[in-house]
């Protein structure tokens, strides 16, 4: 399994054409450039990778996030079937952490909006954490029908994802930022989205984290 890390297509013209399937490349990370990411050429390149069966992850550096219109990006990744990665701030401060949490909550709302109605990919760290919340809620709800070993196995799966990119993302996020965005997102869901825990399918949650 090969991952093309942090690729800027303008600086790597040899990547304009996607690799063949037998090249064993399964993922490409694109660094968003506000001057180029929405041009037809860049969109065509990313789409060609998606069509070739390669996961496209569009990374948005925290430091340049204000250069993008989130609703426009939401439409772009939905139509392109790409994933989105909201990179955390490089430097740590209370102000920056709060701003990052606001960004995470905003993307949670976009994820549930009509703009992303058909979105089936991942928004890091929004959807993985929501899957974690949903899975643990369902484990607790169905605890009486599960044996102790099954409960522990499910909790271990939930707490220890195997997705290589998610592990990379977690490893590169400071603990304080992770704790803060999780708390803020959980609080927002509890206060503003009571339907979050309704109509959740346990099997699909398990498949997503496995």
């Amino acid at each position: 399994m090969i991952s093309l890390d942090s690729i800027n297509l303008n600086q790597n013209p040899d990547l304009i054409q996607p690799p063949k399937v037998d090249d064993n490349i399964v993922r490409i990370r694109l660094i968003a450039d506000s001057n180029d990411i929405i041009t037809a050429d860049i969109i065509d390149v990313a789409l060609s990778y998606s069509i070739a069966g390669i996961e496209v992850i569009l990374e948005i550096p925290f430091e340049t996030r204000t250069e993008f219109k989130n609703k426009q990006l939401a439409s772009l990744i939905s139509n392109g079937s790409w994933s989105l990665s909201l990179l955390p701030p490089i430097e740590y401060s209370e102000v920056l952490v709060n701003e990052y949490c606001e960004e995470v909550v905003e993307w949670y709302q976009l994820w549930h909006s009509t703009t992303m109605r058909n979105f089936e990919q991942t928004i890091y760290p929004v959807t993985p954490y929501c899957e974690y919340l949903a899975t643990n809620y369902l484990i607790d709800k169905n605890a009486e029908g599960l044996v102790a070993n099954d409960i522990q196995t499910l909790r271990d799966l939930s707490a220890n994802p195997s997705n290589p990119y998610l592990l990379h993302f977690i490893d590169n996020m400071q603990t304080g930022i992770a704790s803060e965005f999780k708390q803020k997102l959980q609080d927002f869901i509890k206060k503003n989205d009571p339907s979050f825990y309704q109509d959740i399918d346990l099997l699909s949650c398990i498949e997503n984290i496995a």
Side-chain angles (χ1 to χ4, degrees), residues 75-126:
S75 178
L76 181 65
I77 65 171
S78 295
N79 292 330
S81 295
W82 312 335
S83 292
L84 181 74
S85 181
L86 308 174
L87 301 182
I90 296 174
E91 296 184 6
Y92 185 96
S93 74
E94 184 175 346
V95 172
L96 294 179
V97 172
N98 285 336
E99 290 178 356
Y100 182 72
C101 291
E102 291 174 0
E103 188 82 355
V104 167
V105 169
E106 181 177 345
W107 273 99
Y108 172 83
Q109 295 176 82
L110 281 168
W111 178 39
H112 284 267
S113 71
T114 56
T115 302
M116 304 188 74
R117 178 177 296 160
N118 299 317
F119 182 74
E120 297 181 351
Q121 303 306 314
T122 304
I123 304 174
Y124 299 95
V126 179

Side-chain angles (χ1 to χ4, degrees), residues 11-56:
Q11 298 172 8
N12 296 269
D14 54 313
L15 296 176
I16 293 301
Q17 295 298 323
K20 298 177 182 178
V21 175
D22 57 13
D23 287 339
N24 203 31
I25 293 178
V26 298
R27 180 178 298 107
I28 179 170
R29 292 162 50 194
L30 302 177
I31 297 294
D33 184 333
S34 59
N35 295 319
D36 296 307
I37 193 60
I38 60 174
T39 64
D41 288 344
I42 297 298
I43 291 175
D44 287 346
V45 169
L47 284 174
S48 69
Y49 274 81
S50 295
I51 293 171
I54 297 167
E55 181 185 8
V56 175

